[in-house]
Amino acid sequence: MLDWIKNINKEYPDFWKEYLTKFEVKPNRFVVLSTETSGLNPNKDVILSLGAFSVIDDSIVIKDNFEAVLLQYKFLQDNGLSNEFIIESKMMKMPEPDAMEALINFIGNSILVGHHINFDIEMLNAALERLDCGRLKNEALDVDMMYRKLMDINDKQFSLDDLSEIYKIPKSDRNSSAEDAYKIALLFLKLKSRLGIK
């Protein structure tokens, strides 16, 4: 009961208050999102990089994108991991609080799309919790679930590579969150039309 009262009176950061007001109108775009993380446990692991593209109508809006490497030096140091990835990356580098604020401003009320998107959302929610924010309010679509619904398959999951091969999306040597987000966006456009999603 006391936690509930605390949450009502909680003073959220300004960017989060602004984000919450955006849900008064219906979303007019999708944001395809991919995260690269240090592991699979939202309670212990952190986001290392983020990539996202906007999809409006039936087009990927290349110039409306978000890409960042999160400076997680403390996590990497505490876990004995190399920070070579952070040093060598040409992407914009940001501390986690700045990256989360920029991402929230970018996604607004969009419908989020990803491959196993619930994991990405849990990782983002864990990062937001560290900033005294609430949980993401966006609707979400998962390309793996969309494909399984289309093909009426209940007993198997498909990797991003599996789906890319099925839909003949070329493989790339560059392995990054943005590259994955772009692949997911291409898959989403193919599945969206077949499933009649507007």
Side-chain angles (χ1 to χ4, degrees), residues 42-173:
N43 299 320
K44 289 184 191 159
D45 290 300
V46 292
I47 297 168
L48 299 174
S49 69
L50 289 161
F53 287 98
S54 205
V55 171
I56 297 174
D57 298 324
D58 291 320
S59 300
I60 301 167
V61 185
I62 298 293
K63 67 180 181 196
D64 190 16
N65 70 61
F66 180 87
E67 190 175 15
V69 168
L70 279 65
L71 299 173
Q72 302 283 15
Y73 291 121
K74 183 173 179 348
F75 175 87
L76 295 171
Q77 191 177 3
D78 291 352
N79 290 280
L81 300 169
S82 162
N83 61 15
E84 192 178 326
F85 162 76
I86 292 174
I87 294 162
E88 288 186 0
S89 175
K90 308 258 185 287
M91 285 191 283
M92 181 170 42
K93 298 170 181 74
M94 304 169 100
E96 185 179 83
D98 296 353
M100 294 312 298
E101 181 172 347
L103 179 72
I104 293 301
N105 290 337
F106 175 74
I107 65 174
N109 70 345
S110 302
I111 297 169
L112 302 179
V113 179
H115 180 263
H116 300 160
I117 188 74
N118 288 341
F119 170 71
D120 295 314
I121 288 171
E122 280 312 305
M123 291 299 293
L124 292 168
N125 282 335
L128 288 165
E129 196 176 306
R130 290 191 283 276
L131 300 176
D132 291 325
C133 297
R135 295 171 67 79
L136 287 170
K137 306 278 182 232
N138 306 67
E139 290 178 55
L141 294 169
D142 187 305
V143 290
D144 178 33
M145 290 172 86
M146 290 170 73
Y147 177 71
R148 288 189 285 145
K149 180 178 179 179
L150 182 68
M151 304 310 286
D152 199 21
I153 298 170
N154 298 318
D155 58 349
K156 186 179 177 200
Q157 288 194 337
F158 294 85
S159 71
L160 187 52
D161 285 345
D162 292 338
L163 294 173
S164 297
E165 205 170 296
I166 290 164
Y167 284 101
K168 297 179 178 30
I169 292 168
K171 278 197 170 130
S172 161
D173 296 337

Side-chain angles (χ1 to χ4, degrees), residues 8-24:
I8 284 184
N9 299 321
K10 192 172 189 176
E11 190 55 35
Y12 289 122
D14 289 343
F15 80 89
W16 187 255
K17 289 184 204 165
E18 173 134 349
Y19 162 76
L20 294 174
T21 66
K22 294 179 179 172
F23 289 86
E24 292 163 13

